[in-house]
Amino acid sequence: MPRLDLRVLLAVFAGGALGTLARAGLEEAFAHDPASWPWATFAVNVAGAALLALAITRLPSRHRSAHVRAFAGPGLCGGLTTFSTFQLELVRMLDADRVGLALGYAAASVAAGLAAAALATRLASARRATPDVPARERA
């Protein structure tokens, strides 16, 4: 059984706290009616998909950065994104007889999340493939 690294555990905790606070703040600032589009949840889920793709693509897999990856991935992105709220909002839309809105929200959330992750991965991969050119050589 692998040994538990306290720095990794603390990184997940710190990232999760930060992500959760950010999501809660956005949910509070952009409260919505159950029969309308939940922009805050939609935005944090799409942003979280992009951030997670960036973290996976850009952060090296070396052991010494395990705490950085833990902070960014399961910590920050895990706290920021919310499948449970997404699911609850869909149920509330259905309860309000907004079937079309619920179907559109579900489809748009999945499509936008996948597109954001693909775009972030492509951008991060392109940046990594481009050699760093010193500033004096670019001028």
Side-chain angles (χ1 to χ4, degrees):
M1 186 165 152
R3 204 180 101 201
L4 181 65
D5 184 345
L6 186 58
R7 290 183 310 161
V8 172
L9 185 61
L10 290 173
V12 171
F13 176 78
L18 185 64
T20 300
L21 288 172
R23 176 177 38 86
L26 287 168
E27 291 287 344
E28 185 71 25
F30 299 100
H32 72 284
D33 180 280
S36 65
W37 192 275
W39 285 107
T41 304
F42 181 79
V44 297
N45 285 342
V46 172
L51 288 172
L52 184 57
L54 281 173
I56 290 170
T57 307
R58 292 296 295 168
L59 295 176
S61 59
R62 297 183 302 262
H63 176 69
R64 70 175 190 240
S65 66
H67 59 285
V68 175
R69 287 189 324 275
F71 174 86
L76 182 68
C77 292
L80 180 65
T81 60
T82 174
F83 180 75
S84 59
T85 301
F86 168 70
Q87 182 180 2
L88 180 61
E89 289 165 344
L90 287 171
V91 168
R92 287 181 177 162
M93 287 175 194
L94 293 172
D95 286 346
D97 292 325
R98 301 294 309 266
V99 176
L101 181 66
L103 291 173
Y105 177 53
S109 293
V110 172
L114 289 172
L119 179 62
T121 300
R122 176 167 277 164
L123 291 173
S125 296
R127 171 94 171 111
R128 187 175 36 179
T130 305
D132 289 333
V133 178
R136 67 180 179 271
E137 292 179 24
R138 284 185 281 194

